[in-house]
Amino acid sequence: DIPPRVAVVAEASEQLRAAVDSAFPEAEPSAAVPAPGPEKLSEVAARLENLLMCDDFQAAEVLSQAGPVLQAAFGPLASKLEEEVRSFNYPAALATLRGALEQHRLAAQSG
């Protein structure tokens, strides 16, 4: 036998869980961002590279706008690049960008 208090708590917990589930339905998996075309990636990377070479703070804005493109092309390196730009470490960001571009180029050639 379940003591009456435990049964009341169990029922209340189930009602709460149902209420939370209905208020916050599981998000449908978002569609993966398709890999950017080579022209788009080249355009974004060239613009970002020029800004980073000049230590231009607008690199953060370009990176913000191009985030999905870079994430799709570079994967985890895009997050590293973003962190370096946000911390104004432009030389490191430039090296990361160039390394990511090289890895992306090599992957495209081999696959």
Side-chain angles (χ1 to χ4, degrees):
D1 270 324
I2 298 176
R5 290 183 186 166
V6 174
V8 169
V9 169
E11 176 63 26
S13 293
E14 182 58 32
Q15 289 174 356
L16 178 59
R17 187 195 62 75
V20 168
D21 285 349
S22 67
F24 302 101
E26 285 188 39
E28 293 186 28
S30 60
V33 175
E39 300 83 23
K40 180 66 175 174
L41 181 58
S42 292
E43 173 190 323
V44 167
R47 178 138 192 251
L48 189 55
E49 185 176 30
N50 287 334
L51 293 170
L52 291 172
M53 286 189 310
C54 298
D55 292 331
D56 192 323
F57 68 92
Q58 289 183 359
E61 184 178 331
V62 169
L63 185 64
S64 176
Q65 293 170 354
V69 170
L70 297 175
Q71 190 69 40
F74 301 153
L77 284 176
S79 298
K80 180 180 180 190
L81 176 63
E82 183 178 342
E83 184 174 320
E84 290 166 345
V85 169
R86 288 182 196 265
S87 63
F88 303 102
N89 190 350
Y90 296 148
L94 184 59
T96 298
L97 175 63
R98 288 176 174 165
L101 283 167
E102 181 63 15
Q103 283 184 9
H104 183 75
R105 185 185 64 77
L106 292 173
Q109 287 178 347
S110 68

